[in-house]
């Protein structure tokens, strides 16, 4: 008979605490979430005119570009993400993987379910390219402001940027709890300053407000055609970070984040973009051609430019921190959902479960960022590589949104089709415009995304095949329990055999009988089950079956955002499995598989070799499940897939 036991410890609730006021959470979101999109004014407007599109600098083109920025921010960020997709939460959590888990749960065994999963995995893969480029372009663009103060500083830009970036990655091990307390005040000052600078320019040239009319964006395309299309590749830089807003929803909740966006961040950003346009439109053509090379810093008068450089540098530092933390979070989700092997995950805060540090991801990102800075040399070159990762992820989210509207929200197709079509046209146009920049650097995030996609899908496929192979040859536990109770010596204590499957006998148990010829008084076959929800209800954490003769089958259920701490989970189950678990008298037996490449039709040999390499380099189950180091026994076996 199967029963359910309540655990001793409640799971985290998935945020900064529901007791915090909406206003406090909204302020916190300004400091953590909006750094990426908030630092886009440093380079987005500049790249539209100074980039490869070669746009003439006159009133009509300035109004057209500013109008494009305004309507892009309104459609993509404000409506698509903040208004629509933030309603698609998986028990409070957002992001591509959380959305895929939500859709998979509603689609069940649908024949198109695999396509939804692949789309979500590819969007996640593109995020890794984004998380490499964001720190590089953000910090570089801020430090390049020194050349506006004094052109002689140009030779110091790359060394200073590299020093700041290395320091940023070295800081990760300490966690962001203490530094995070400073994020919100700094970002509030930053947004206020850039809004004030932009607002002052608008007062000097209020004619720029005509850009609110979509007519000017439309006429830009009518008169320039291909040039306007190419300009989209730079305009989209103004909405970079929109996908991150959705991913970070679980930290603050949709209400506070919407309050932050509509009440503060969006107005500040628009004031700055309109201000840059007003400044350029009010200058003679020759002077405008010079100013447009770095309009953000030239908004300030000469004596205030150096303080603005320092403020912008701190803001980009914070934006980079948020993206790196996002890479840790999405990696943790991927590990829990079975798309990545176990990695060493360290918690940097005793109170905030979401603050984690993954050494492998941190050092891999640091090396990639350093290579990017040394290879591309300046933020303008990096801008060519930046947009394609963002637009690719946004376009995929639009496709997933189509499935969401029909499958989960049950919209009629004639309601859903116009909405999806509108966003597909907008997002698809941005993605197509960025594809033209593949030779100039757009290849980088695509290569990173392809490598990440290959690794994630190879691990998921190999893991599925390996489990199927082990299940095929597994002996039913009921038969084993009856035959083993009298065939082996029973010794005092408890043995817990970790099993990836909730049926059959784990290979470690068979090897223990074969080589040691003993059984403990209490034998628990334990499976850790990661579900497609962020957090599991406390009263559904534990499941057990008493099979008699001291044998128990147990399952611990966790959400994909939770820490898999097995000893804590056992505290709430011991009374139902023959008494409490005393760690000093409990041994954990783990199976370690060695993969043998074979000609079976499961996967190509090259993918089997990649899977075998990932399997060898996965973190120990002892560390991943937080098992006591002196109570673990590992027994190896060989598997073909």
């Amino acid at each position: 008979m199967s029963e359910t036991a309540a655990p001793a410890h409640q799971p985290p609730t998935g945020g900064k605490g529901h007791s915090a006021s909406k206003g406090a959470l909204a302020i916190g979101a300004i400091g953590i979430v909006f750094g990426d999109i908030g630092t886009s004014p440093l380079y987005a407007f500049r790249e539209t005119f100074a980039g490869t599109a070669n746009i003439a600098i006159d009133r009509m083109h300035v109004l057209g570009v500013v109008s494009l920025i305004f309507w892009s921010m309104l459609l993509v960020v404000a409506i698509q993400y903040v208004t629509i997709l933030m309603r698609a939460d998986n028990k409070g959590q957002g992001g591509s993987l959380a959305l895929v888990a939500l859709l998979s749960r509603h689609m069940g065994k649908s024949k198109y379910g695999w396509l939804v999963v692949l789309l979500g995995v590819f969007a996640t893969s593109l995020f890794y390219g984004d998380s490499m480029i964001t720190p590089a372009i953000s910090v570089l663009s801020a430090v390049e402001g020194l050349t506006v103060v004094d052109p002689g500083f140009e030779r110091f830009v790359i060394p200073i940027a590299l020093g700041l970036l290395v320091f940023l990655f070295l800081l990760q091990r300490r966690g962001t709890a203490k530094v995070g307390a400073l994020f919100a005040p700094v970002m509030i000052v930053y947004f206020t300053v850039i809004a004030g600078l932009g607002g002052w320019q608008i007062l000097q040239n209020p004619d720029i407000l005509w850009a609110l009319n979509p007519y000017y964006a439309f006429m830009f395309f009518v008169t320039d055609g291909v040039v306007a299309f190419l300009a989209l590749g730079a305009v989209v830089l103004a909405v970079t970070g929109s996908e991150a807003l959705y991913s970070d929803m679980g930290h603050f909740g949709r209400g506070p984040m919407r309050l932050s966006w509509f009440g503060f961040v969006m107005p500040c950003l628009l004031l700055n973009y309109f201000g840059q346009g007003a400044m350029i439109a009010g200058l003679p053509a020759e002077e405008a051609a010079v100013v447009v090379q770095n309009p953000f810093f030239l908004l300030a008068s000469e004596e205030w430019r150096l303080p603005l450089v320092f403020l912008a540098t701190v803001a980009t530092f914070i934006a980079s921190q948020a993206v790196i933390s996002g890479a840790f979070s999405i990696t943790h989700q991927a590990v829990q959902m079975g798309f990545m092997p176990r990695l060493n995950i360290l918690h940097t805060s005793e109170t905030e479960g979401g603050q984690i540090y993954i050494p492998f991801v941190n050092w891999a990102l640091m090396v990639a960022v350093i290579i990017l800075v040394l290879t591309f040399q300046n933020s303008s070159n990096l801008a060519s590589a930046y947009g394609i990762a963002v637009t690719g992820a946004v376009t995929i989210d639009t496709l997933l949104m189509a499935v969401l509207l029909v499958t989960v929200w049950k919209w009629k197709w004639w309601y859903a089709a116009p909405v999806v079509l509108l966003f597909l046209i907008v997002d698809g146009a941005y993605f197509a415009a960025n594809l033209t920049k593949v030779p100039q650097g757009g290849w980088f995030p695509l290569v990173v995304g392809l490598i990440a996609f290959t690794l994630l899908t190879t691990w998921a496929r190999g893991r599925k095949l390996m489990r199927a192979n082990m299940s095929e040859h597994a002996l039913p536990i009921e038969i084993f329990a009856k035959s083993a109770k009298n065939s082996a010596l029973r010794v005092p204590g408890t043995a817990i055999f970790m099993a990836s499957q909730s049926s059959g006998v784990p290979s470690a148990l068979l090897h223990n009988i074969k080589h040691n010829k003993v059984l403990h008084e209490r034998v628990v076959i334990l499976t850790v089950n990661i579900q497609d929800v962020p957090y599991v209800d406390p009263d559904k954490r534990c499941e057990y079956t008493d099979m008699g003769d001291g044998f128990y089958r147990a399952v611990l259920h966790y959400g994909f955002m939770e820490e898999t701490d097995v000893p804590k989970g056992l505290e709430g189950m011991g009374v139902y499995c023959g008494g409490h678990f005393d760690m000093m008298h409990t041994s954990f037996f783990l199976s370690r598989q060695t993969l043998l490449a074979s000609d079976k039709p499961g996967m190509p040999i090259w993918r089997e070799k990649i899977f075998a390499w990932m399997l060898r380099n996965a973190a120990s189950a002892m560390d991943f499940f937080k098992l006591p180091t002196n109570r673990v026994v590992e027994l190896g076996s060989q598997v073909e897939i």
Side-chain angles (χ1 to χ4, degrees):
M1 178 179 177
S2 180
E3 301 285 351
T4 300
H9 295 270
Q10 303 289 325
T13 54
K16 295 289 176 183
H18 294 292
S19 60
S21 69
K22 187 175 181 178
L25 288 172
I27 292 173
I30 293 171
I32 303 295
V33 175
F34 297 102
D36 190 358
I37 195 169
T39 52
S40 295
L42 273 74
Y43 46 81
F45 186 85
R46 176 194 73 195
E47 290 305 315
T48 307
F49 284 97
T52 56
N54 195 26
I55 302 172
I57 306 175
D58 54 36
R59 178 182 181 275
M60 192 274 289
H61 287 95
V62 171
L63 287 175
V65 167
V66 175
S67 186
L68 271 177
I69 290 174
F70 170 72
W71 286 100
S72 298
M73 194 172 291
L74 184 65
L75 287 172
V76 177
V77 187
I79 297 178
Q80 182 177 357
Y81 277 94
V82 179
T83 302
I84 298 178
L85 276 176
M86 277 192 181
R87 289 183 57 216
D89 65 297
N90 190 342
K91 292 194 175 182
Q93 297 297 319
S96 296
L97 285 181
L99 181 57
V100 165
L102 174 68
L103 295 175
S104 298
R105 194 161 67 247
H106 282 81
M107 294 179 72
K109 298 293 184 180
S110 169
K111 61 181 180 180
Y112 299 110
W114 64 272
L115 182 58
V116 168
V117 172
L118 286 184
L119 285 172
V121 171
F122 193 64
T124 300
S125 302
L126 288 173
F127 179 80
Y128 285 107
D130 185 16
S131 62
M132 295 173 184
I133 299 172
T134 295
I137 191 173
S138 298
V139 173
L140 259 179
S141 61
V143 178
E144 283 169 354
L146 291 172
T147 62
V148 177
V149 178
D150 186 344
F153 284 132
E154 184 174 359
R155 65 182 184 274
F156 299 112
V157 168
I158 291 180
I160 291 174
L162 286 176
L164 288 171
L165 288 166
V166 170
F167 175 67
L168 175 65
F169 285 101
L170 291 176
L171 193 67
Q172 299 307 307
R173 178 178 287 274
R174 298 182 177 274
T176 59
K178 294 181 180 178
V179 182
L182 300 174
F183 282 5
V186 171
M187 292 307 295
I188 288 173
V189 170
Y190 167 78
F191 280 119
T192 303
V193 168
I194 67 171
L197 292 172
W200 175 251
Q201 294 294 333
I202 294 171
L203 290 175
Q204 307 303 308
N205 187 10
D207 185 63
I208 194 66
L209 294 177
W210 284 107
L212 293 169
N213 189 339
Y215 166 81
Y216 290 97
F218 175 74
M219 289 305 299
F220 185 22
F221 280 92
V222 170
T223 56
D224 286 87
V226 174
V227 172
F229 172 74
L230 294 175
L232 288 177
V235 169
V236 77
L237 296 175
V239 299
T240 56
S242 52
E243 210 280 338
L245 304 185
Y246 181 40
S247 300
D248 287 331
M249 181 173 62
H251 294 289
F252 300 96
R254 72 166 71 94
M257 289 184 64
R258 285 173 175 170
L259 178 61
S260 297
W261 173 252
F262 288 112
F264 184 69
V265 176
M266 184 178 178
C268 290
L269 290 176
L270 290 176
L271 281 171
N272 190 265
Y273 283 121
F274 274 75
Q276 291 188 47
M279 178 176 65
I280 297 298
L283 294 174
E286 292 184 1
E287 188 177 350
V290 175
V291 172
V292 82
Q293 299 299 316
N294 217 323
F296 177 84
F297 292 104
L298 291 172
L299 286 173
S301 57
E302 188 172 350
E303 64 271 20
W304 290 105
R305 285 173 193 163
L306 188 58
L308 182 60
V309 170
F310 287 135
L311 180 61
T313 302
V314 175
T316 57
F317 198 84
I318 292 171
S320 302
Q321 170 64 61
V323 172
I324 295 168
S325 298
F328 294 158
S329 296
I330 206 166
T331 301
H332 182 239
Q333 289 186 34
V335 170
Q336 296 290 64
M337 295 176 70
F339 291 107
M340 274 190 173
R342 293 184 299 266
L343 295 173
N344 185 22
I345 299 175
L346 306 177
H347 286 256
T348 58
S349 171
E350 295 180 359
T351 57
E352 300 295 340
Q355 292 190 9
I356 58 175
Y357 168 69
I358 305 178
F360 173 78
V361 175
N362 187 63
W363 302 128
L365 286 179
M366 187 183 79
V367 171
V369 168
I370 291 174
I371 292 174
L372 280 171
V373 171
L374 293 177
T375 302
F376 287 87
Q377 294 288 309
N378 61 61
S379 59
S380 291
N381 292 337
L382 273 169
S384 298
Y386 195 19
I388 200 163
V390 177
T391 54
V394 170
T395 304
I396 291 173
D397 282 345
T398 303
L399 295 174
L400 294 177
M401 185 178 74
V403 181
L404 170 81
L405 296 179
V406 176
T407 305
V408 182
W409 292 349
K410 306 298 182 184
W411 285 25
K412 301 296 184 183
W413 70 266
W414 54 83
Y415 290 146
V419 175
V420 173
L421 187 62
L422 170 64
F423 289 118
L424 272 181
I425 291 173
V426 174
D427 300 335
Y430 282 130
F431 183 60
N434 275 278
L435 284 176
T436 64
K437 299 194 291 186
V438 169
Q440 288 77 40
W443 56 267
F444 177 80
L446 291 178
V447 169
V448 171
L450 184 60
I451 292 173
F453 181 78
T454 301
L455 293 176
L456 267 62
T457 53
T458 297
W459 178 259
R461 177 64 176 164
R463 188 167 169 261
K464 181 179 179 181
L465 290 171
M466 190 168 70
R467 287 189 169 187
N469 179 279
M470 294 172 67
S471 296
E472 184 180 340
H473 299 93
L475 179 68
I477 184 62
E478 294 80 8
I479 297 175
F480 175 83
K482 291 178 181 178
S483 62
K485 65 179 181 179
N486 297 320
S487 61
L489 177 66
R490 304 298 288 256
V491 296
T494 299
I496 297 179
F497 292 88
M498 304 296 294
S500 58
Q501 298 287 336
S502 57
S503 61
V505 181
S507 60
L509 178 51
L510 293 174
H511 281 76
N512 185 54
I513 288 286
K514 178 180 178 181
H515 296 289
N516 298 326
K517 298 180 174 59
V518 296
L519 279 174
H520 287 70
E521 286 178 334
R522 180 169 54 162
V523 176
V524 180
I525 299 173
L526 179 64
T527 299
V528 175
N529 180 27
I530 307 298
Q531 298 186 300
D532 56 4
V533 294
Y535 302 99
V536 170
D537 293 335
D539 58 350
K540 296 180 180 179
R541 171 82 71 215
C542 310
E543 182 184 340
Y544 76 93
T545 303
D546 186 346
M547 295 178 294
D549 299 308
F551 282 86
Y552 300 87
R553 165 74 71 180
V555 180
L556 286 175
H557 299 278
Y558 291 92
F560 60 77
M561 293 294 292
E562 292 184 276
E563 180 183 15
T564 49
D565 192 327
V566 167
K568 283 186 178 180
L570 291 173
E571 288 179 15
M573 188 168 56
V575 67
Y576 303 98
C577 289
H580 290 285
F581 291 94
D582 180 359
M583 289 297 113
M584 294 305 296
H585 297 91
T586 300
S587 298
F588 292 87
F589 290 82
L590 307 178
S591 302
R592 177 173 284 275
Q593 287 81 27
T594 299
L595 184 68
L596 300 178
S598 68
D599 293 328
K600 291 184 177 181
M603 279 198 307
I605 289 293
W606 66 271
R607 291 190 75 183
E608 286 193 17
K609 291 182 177 180
I610 292 175
F611 178 69
W613 171 77
M614 296 174 77
L615 191 64
R616 287 194 305 270
N617 290 279
S620 167
M622 178 182 66
D623 295 327
F624 188 76
F625 294 124
K626 305 294 185 289
L627 305 180
T629 55
N630 59 344
R631 308 301 303 174
V632 174
V633 178
E634 283 193 334
L635 298 170
S637 61
Q638 294 180 330
V639 181
E640 287 186 354
I641 59 172

